[in-house]
Amino acid sequence: MSEYSLVGSHFRDVDPELAHLVDEEIERQSTSLQLIASENFTSLAVMEATASVLTNKYSEGYPGKRYYGGNSIVDKVETLAIERLKLLFKAAHANVQPHSGANANAAVYFALLKPGDTVLAMRLDQGGHLTHGSPVNFSGQLYNFVGYGVTPKGVDGEVIDFDSMYDLAKKHRPKMIVAGATAYSRIIEVDRVREIADEVGSLVMFDAAHVAGLIAAEIYPNPLFTTDGSKGADVVTFTTHKTLRGPRGGAIVSHEEYGQKIDKALFPGFQGGPLENTIAAKAVAFLEALSPSFKEYQQKVVENAKALAKELEAQGFRVVSGGTDTHLILVDLQSFDIDLSGKQAQEVLDRAGITCNRNQIPGDPRSPFVTSGLRFGTAAMTTANMGVREMSLVAEYVAASLRKREDDREIERIRKEVRSLCLKFPPPFLVR
Ligand code: DSN
């Protein structure tokens, strides 16, 4: 058991087996490097709101329009979350009820499209998300998705191919263009997407799941607007638990004209009762994100990501697109070791206490289950106060583990070093 414990005595008395597992997870999260680009450590305040009595309340509907009684306080909670989010994204409308980013995307499609409509989105193998039309996902089965990708490898390559987006838009005349990605490290210029959409009369949805925190901190352009302040994306969806550092969940912001349709599509169209405890935790996270210290935090996230990308390059890895503008780094393992797959690398790094995920790189010769790449993110370790100096150590540990992957003793030695490094940078749930 960890010397710290967040598992209260009731939990421990009622279900010691599960309490023990939570203790083990506390230990894992605090003694290994958390480098999954879609994860973060929330504040204790966010965790406490998630665990609050609001979990007991049914509140189908929206503030002031509920189906059940007893919602006068919940209405205030949800309104607080909505108003804070509107402020954060300078949005006319916000919906804080999506249980996840996937649900947020589904609700927007349900609100603004009809089954069979054509949608243009980034292909999964180029950095897009499952809900952007993958054939194994509802999106690919209900709508006619056409995929765009990135430019070829080379100087200034592997960035979104707007020329091909334009050609595909002219050819297929989509009802909607989806921008946003899950494994793409560069800023996506919404101006270009809006221009193309206007020319063919399509809507724009921006999936900002990864970069929501950077947007809130104003170090990534707010996709609701173009650089001259006119309308950018019609709708922006995102998750609240990645760079935004809130509880697991989703949210949608939009211009006023889509608000009613989106609300109706999410409830009663798609979801049931909202998770008001999670919505309260979202409200806490939005308040935290409105503070000046959140801006400083996000600046450090990007500084750390740039440093980690550079150090990984120095260790012989090729960084896709040659760097990053965000919290995320996509690494091509082929330059480091042509025989090493993403799957194998992820497993080796797990043994060394370095948690990241395998990921396809653009044009990957291997399947999505095996891959030739790894994806890293700096949001969580920056929350734990790691800086540029530690990023250099992280790159060394990654490279050394993968080079010595057949040597169990060496992996064990690195695991110990990783552990002592992490103990110097405890996550917020251990800071009293
Ligand atoms: N959003 C995905 C990720 O980036 O990890 C998970 O679906």
Side-chain angles (χ1 to χ4, degrees):
M1 193 174 70
S2 153
E3 66 181 288
Y4 303 94
S5 180
L6 291 178
V7 180
S9 61
H10 299 292
F11 187 6
R12 203 174 292 290
D13 288 348
V14 170
D15 194 341
E17 188 183 1
L18 194 59
H20 177 70
L21 291 176
V22 176
D23 281 335
E24 285 189 338
E25 180 60 9
I26 290 172
E27 173 81 10
R28 188 197 70 80
Q29 287 188 20
S30 51
T31 61
S32 54
L33 289 161
Q34 307 308 318
L35 297 167
I36 291 185
S38 47
E39 293 181 354
N40 209 332
F41 295 121
T42 72
S43 67
L44 268 174
V46 165
M47 287 173 62
E48 283 173 4
T50 312
S52 69
V53 294
L54 292 162
T55 195
N56 298 332
K57 188 69 198 105
Y58 239 120
S59 51
E60 283 170 327
Y62 289 99
K65 285 171 279 178
R66 305 285 186 184
Y67 286 75
Y68 294 17
N71 272 305
S72 59
I73 296 158
V74 157
D75 277 3
K76 288 183 194 160
V77 170
E78 189 167 333
T79 302
L80 210 50
I82 291 170
E83 292 308 318
R84 287 175 182 171
L85 181 55
K86 281 161 67 176
L87 203 60
L88 210 50
F89 277 75
K90 300 173 183 61
H93 185 80
N95 187 313
V96 294
Q97 291 194 5
H99 301 334
S100 66
N103 282 17
N105 288 351
V108 172
Y109 299 157
F110 193 47
L112 305 178
L113 302 173
K114 289 201 179 55
D117 275 350
T118 298
V119 186
L120 193 54
M122 194 173 196
R123 295 205 322 257
L124 184 66
D125 68 338
Q126 300 280 298
H129 188 249
L130 278 172
T131 56
H132 299 177
S134 161
V136 298
N137 183 260
F138 80 92
S139 55
Q141 293 173 25
L142 284 183
Y143 306 100
N144 174 36
F145 271 83
V146 177
Y148 60 82
V150 296
T151 56
K153 200 155 82 176
V155 183
D156 297 329
E158 295 170 302
V159 294
I160 289 189
D161 188 347
F162 285 104
D163 293 339
S164 118
M165 186 192 286
Y166 177 77
D167 292 343
L168 290 166
K170 287 293 253 190
K171 184 168 169 206
H172 297 279
R173 308 204 78 84
K175 181 86 184 285
M176 176 185 280
I177 301 179
V178 175
T182 200
Y184 183 73
S185 64
R186 298 301 188 174
I187 286 170
I188 300 171
E189 298 91 358
V190 80
D191 295 36
R192 301 286 304 278
V193 188
R194 181 79 262 168
E195 242 172 69
I196 296 170
D198 282 347
E199 205 168 320
V200 297
S202 53
L203 295 161
V204 176
M205 182 188 101
F206 197 106
D207 183 340
H210 269 270
V211 292
L214 304 177
I215 295 167
E218 297 179 321
I219 56 174
Y220 187 108
N222 183 343
L224 278 175
F225 306 99
T226 59
T227 33
D228 69 6
S230 51
K231 184 166 83 172
D234 296 281
V235 184
V236 176
T237 59
F238 53 93
T239 47
T240 46
H241 51 269
K242 297 187 175 90
T243 50
L244 195 49
R245 210 160 64 176
R248 306 198 70 74
I252 305 168
V253 288
S254 72
H255 299 281
E256 190 59 48
E257 62 261 44
Y258 307 106
Q260 245 187 344
K261 272 191 176 174
I262 288 167
D263 285 355
K264 258 178 77 177
L266 191 77
F267 178 85
F270 188 68
Q271 283 189 174
L275 313 176
E276 292 294 343
N277 55 324
T278 303
I279 288 173
K282 287 175 188 174
V284 175
F286 300 154
L287 181 70
E288 290 173 350
L290 282 162
S291 74
S293 63
F294 190 74
K295 200 173 180 133
E296 282 165 32
Y297 158 66
Q298 295 293 355
Q299 277 159 349
K300 284 186 197 149
V301 167
V302 177
E303 198 178 287
N304 279 346
K306 285 180 190 290
L308 182 57
K310 248 185 153 163
E311 296 291 342
L312 286 166
E313 277 182 333
Q315 293 288 346
F317 298 96
R318 191 183 77 81
V319 171
V320 171
S321 88
T324 181
D325 303 324
T326 62
H327 63 301
L328 185 150
I329 302 140
L330 189 58
V331 161
D332 177 357
L333 292 166
Q334 293 172 112
S335 59
F336 182 80
D337 183 339
I338 194 77
D339 296 323
L340 181 64
S341 72
K343 183 171 183 295
Q344 194 188 1
Q346 180 192 308
E347 286 162 5
V348 171
L349 293 178
D350 246 344
R351 280 163 50 215
I354 302 168
T355 309
C356 65
N357 69 283
R358 63 183 179 273
N359 212 102
Q360 276 192 304
I361 51 164
D364 202 317
R366 294 185 173 99
S367 76
F369 193 72
V370 181
T371 84
S372 304
L374 288 175
R375 190 185 64 162
F376 295 100
T378 52
M381 296 327 297
T382 308
T383 295
N385 287 316
M386 284 196 183
V388 168
R389 234 164 47 118
E390 286 71 39
M391 293 305 109
S392 156
L393 285 174
V394 169
E396 266 178 45
Y397 294 145
V398 168
S401 312
L402 296 178
R403 274 192 204 106
K404 301 282 173 115
R405 58 187 182 271
E406 308 297 346
D407 184 342
D408 286 343
R409 279 180 50 187
E410 187 57 17
I411 297 286
E412 192 43 41
R413 188 193 63 75
I414 296 168
R415 175 73 192 96
K416 282 195 184 124
E417 280 194 34
V418 164
R419 189 187 162 84
S420 44
L421 176 67
C422 291
L423 288 174
K424 288 188 210 139
F425 296 90
F429 59 80
L430 296 187
V431 179
R432 302 283 168 165

